[in-house]
């Protein structure tokens, strides 16, 4: 049996270059994980537009290194 390396369950990868926003199909900049384990990807515009609502349902998140999500500050509070 060959061991397989898997990331820890708390790890969330930022959106890949080819992933698109679930709202408008623009390039994905933010990936959020919901309590049930589902994931959503948003472009920068929609991630920041809905930041106040997204932080209420987000368990974990990861963003593109060049993207500054407004919800990150809200999640810290």
């Amino acid at each position: 049996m060959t061991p397989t390396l898997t990331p820890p369950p708390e790890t969330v990868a930022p959106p890949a270059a080819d992933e698109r926003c679930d709202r408008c199909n623009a390039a994905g900049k933010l990936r959020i994980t919901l309590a049930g384990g589902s994931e959503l990807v948003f472009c920068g515009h929609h991630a920041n537009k809905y930041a106040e609502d997204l932080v209420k349902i987000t368990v974990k998140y990861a963003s593109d290194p060049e993207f500054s999500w407004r919800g990150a500050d809200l999640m810290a509070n």
Side-chain angles (χ1 to χ4, degrees):
M1 176 190 238
T2 305
T4 304
L5 296 175
T6 56
E10 64 273 354
T11 302
V12 178
D18 63 341
E19 288 188 282
R20 312 310 280 171
C21 176
D22 289 328
R23 182 86 174 145
C24 72
N25 206 29
K29 299 293 182 186
L30 175 76
R31 175 192 313 278
I32 65 168
T33 303
L34 307 176
S38 301
E39 295 182 336
L40 296 171
V41 175
F42 293 96
C43 66
H45 166 78
H46 285 114
N48 283 327
K49 180 177 180 179
Y50 298 114
E52 291 179 11
D53 293 325
L54 292 175
V55 298
K56 295 175 186 174
I57 62 170
T58 299
V59 175
K60 296 174 237 167
Y61 73 94
S63 62
D64 184 288
E66 298 175 4
F67 173 65
S68 177
W69 181 43
R70 191 170 62 92
D73 294 333
L74 298 172
M75 293 275 301
N77 294 333

